[in-house]
Amino acid sequence: MGKVVRLYWGYMVAAALVVAWSQQWALPVIVALSLGVSAYAAFQVPVWCGAVNRDGQTYCRNNAYGVLMGCSKRQHRWQKLKMIVLRSKVGNVSRSVFPTAKEKFNGALAIGGLLSAVAAVIVPAVTGG
């Protein structure tokens, strides 16, 4: 049970974030939950590596943690982050970072958490609340 909680705690935080928005909890709590969800999805959620293999056509299927991180192979660790920065590799980002539906969901979770954090800071400033 402890291993399951350690691996999937971010989904519980995401559920708490939905409740926090619906119940209008304090903004610092919403920001903290939002950042926690984004950090979990980007760096800790269990996924496949998805880095491009040496043949240049297939993707690594080793286990990794986080949508942005690679597996235990040294060359794969930062390959996905490099593809985001290098202009010639931007077209391959979606195929390598999000190879399956699970990674697409976790990517959406990370982006949703960031948007939630931004909204929790900007909405009160605009509305005067």
Side-chain angles (χ1 to χ4, degrees), residues 12-122:
M12 292 181 273
V13 175
L17 179 61
V18 170
V19 171
W21 274 108
S22 66
Q23 299 294 320
Q24 298 179 349
W25 290 1
L27 292 178
V29 174
I30 293 175
V31 170
L33 289 173
S34 301
L35 294 176
V37 166
S38 296
Y40 171 75
F43 300 110
Q44 195 176 3
V45 67
V47 294
W48 289 336
C49 175
V52 179
N53 289 323
R54 289 181 187 245
D55 64 4
Q57 297 177 358
T58 61
Y59 299 99
C60 179
R61 301 275 303 232
N62 292 337
N63 291 330
Y65 291 100
V67 172
L68 296 178
M69 302 305 292
C71 64
S72 61
K73 294 182 180 176
R74 184 172 47 123
Q75 294 175 343
H76 291 185
R77 287 187 192 143
W78 297 104
Q79 183 181 11
K80 290 197 256 183
L81 290 175
K82 286 181 194 176
M83 282 193 297
I84 293 170
V85 175
L86 298 175
R87 184 177 177 90
S88 64
K89 301 287 185 175
V90 171
N92 295 331
V93 170
S94 65
R95 284 189 301 261
S96 65
V97 175
F98 309 116
T100 66
K102 182 179 178 182
E103 280 81 6
K104 289 175 184 163
F105 174 75
N106 290 321
L109 191 66
I111 292 169
L114 287 175
L115 290 176
S116 174
V118 169
V121 172
I122 291 177

